[in-house]
Amino acid sequence: MKRSLQVIDEKADSPVWTPHLLRVGNRLVSILDTEDGTPSRRFAEMLVEGGARRLEQNGDANLDLRIVIRGAPVSTASRRRAEVLEETADLILGAARPAFARLFASACAPRVTD
């Protein structure tokens, strides 16, 4: 039985397990992605532009929302990792979209009452 071998570079499969923690309004949000960490970093930056605040990593944090940005896994190990991350997610995004980041940040912003 012959089959071609898939060539995978190490960068494509490098796991980034450290989430980006942000305070978005009154919510503590964790952002991860199933790729190399670039989509979650980009989405975190978009949320910061929308008014979110970056936080230091805290293993004891009581998260309000876990966001995972889905990518295209290139190996069996990265597919398994993606499945694990998505099982624990509260929200799964197909991509880091600026419009969604703005809407999400504004929806979580504390309201001022007169």
Side-chain angles (χ1 to χ4, degrees), residues 3-96:
R3 60 182 190 177
S4 60
L5 295 175
Q6 184 178 14
V7 177
I8 301 170
D9 67 349
E10 291 180 20
K11 185 178 178 189
D13 275 344
S14 60
V16 178
W17 292 96
T18 306
H20 296 272
L21 293 179
L22 295 116
R23 174 73 58 191
V24 185
N26 295 327
R27 295 176 185 257
L28 181 57
V29 178
S30 165
I31 304 170
L32 275 171
D33 65 78
T34 61
E35 293 182 3
D36 65 354
T38 303
S40 57
R41 181 183 42 80
R42 190 175 24 201
F43 190 66
E45 290 170 359
M46 291 176 204
L47 288 175
V48 168
E49 289 173 8
R53 195 177 76 234
R54 288 187 188 277
L55 300 174
E56 295 297 320
Q57 299 301 321
N58 183 353
D60 298 332
N62 189 11
L63 297 173
D64 295 311
L65 187 64
R66 288 176 177 84
I67 298 175
V68 172
I69 302 171
R70 182 178 282 164
V74 293
S75 70
T76 304
S78 61
R79 276 193 294 279
R80 273 189 247 120
R81 177 180 177 266
E83 289 172 3
V84 168
L85 290 176
E86 290 177 8
E87 284 177 7
T88 63
D90 297 308
L91 176 64
I92 300 171
L93 301 177

